[in-house]
Every structure is written in structure tokens, then in C-alpha cells.
Amino acid sequence: MSQSGLDDEELFGEAATEIRADVEDHLAGAREALPSASAVWDVEADNTLGVLNGLRTALAVEEVEAHLRDAKKWYTIGERADAFEDADDLADEIERIEDVLDDLEEVSDAVADLASAIPELRGELEELHAAADESADGTADGE
């Protein structure tokens, strides 16, 4: 084998190592960007809307999505180049983070729906009770 062939193999090996490191770094960044369990469980607020808004903030996923996208991008490049000897651990970690991200997005959508529905419900209940109070006051005055 020629010297340039050895150099190419060495360069490819280095590139494969760097690609794997990039995937691992982005996966670590995605894990770090995930909310902590206490951030979605322990909330402090004076009312339901405050709880929902705090939860919605805790469920923000933009940074997780960005890191996961970069991890998948570099993983795909490495896979297509057949640069990994064993990348099952990377694929498994990508899948685990994708699953959690899907759950976060689903819960976030539900929280957003509740955060917009609760004030409407509160308004309807206030109107209903105010009308009932007015009706009761009118009946009491008329007797």
C-alpha cells in the first residue's frame, strides 16, 4: 500500500473519530437542554394560569431540537460514510432523546391549549355566576 493510502486511512480514521465526538457532544447538549424532572413537577404560582405558564416555560424544547438535529446530521454523515465501527449506542441515544422530545412537544401542546382555555372558562363562569346573582337579587327585591 502506498504512503498516500496510509495517510488517507489515517485521515479517515481521524475524521470518523471527530464525527463521533461531534455526535456525542450534540447528544450531551440535547440531554443538558432537556428540562429537569423537578422543573416540570415542582411549580410555584398563585393560580392555575401561573402554573400552566410556568410549565410551558419549563417545557421549551428549541435548544433540545437544535442539538438533536445536529447530532442526527453528523450521525447520518458518519453512517453513510461507513465511518463508525459500532454506532448502536449513538442510534439508541438519538432514539431515546427523540422519544422524550416527542413527549415534551405533546405535553407542551396540551399545556398551551389549557393555558388558552382556562381564562375563557373563568370568564364564562364569572358571567354565569354574576347573572345568577343578579337574578337572585332581583327575585329577593321583588318579594
Side-chain angles (χ1 to χ4, degrees):
M1 189 172 217
S2 70
Q3 180 64 27
S4 66
L6 286 174
D7 290 343
D8 289 347
E9 282 299 313
E10 286 178 35
L11 290 173
F12 186 79
E14 286 178 30
T17 300
E18 290 173 11
I19 289 172
R20 183 177 182 86
D22 283 345
V23 173
E24 290 171 346
D25 288 346
H26 286 296
L27 288 172
R31 280 190 305 274
E32 290 171 14
L34 289 169
S36 67
S38 64
V40 297
W41 190 256
D42 301 328
V43 293
E44 293 183 29
D46 294 331
N47 57 46
T48 304
L49 189 57
V51 169
L52 293 171
N53 285 331
L55 184 56
R56 188 169 22 181
T57 299
L59 296 173
V61 295
E62 291 80 16
E63 188 177 350
V64 178
E65 289 173 327
H67 281 293
L68 184 60
R69 178 178 171 75
D70 286 341
K72 288 175 73 172
K73 176 176 60 177
W74 288 112
Y75 176 82
T76 300
I77 289 170
E79 278 293 294
R80 288 191 181 166
D82 199 24
F84 303 131
E85 289 181 24
D86 180 21
D88 291 343
D89 60 326
L90 297 176
D92 291 345
E93 185 68 9
I94 287 171
E95 187 176 339
R96 276 194 298 272
I97 292 173
E98 280 182 320
D99 289 345
V100 171
L101 182 60
D102 289 344
D103 290 344
L104 281 170
E105 290 172 335
E106 190 174 308
V107 170
S108 183
D109 290 345
V111 169
D113 290 345
L114 279 172
S116 63
I118 293 293
E120 291 176 23
L121 177 61
R122 178 182 180 213
E124 290 172 359
L125 290 170
E126 286 174 339
E127 287 176 16
L128 183 67
H129 288 292
D133 289 345
E134 287 176 12
S135 177
D137 287 344
T139 305
D141 290 342
E143 289 180 8

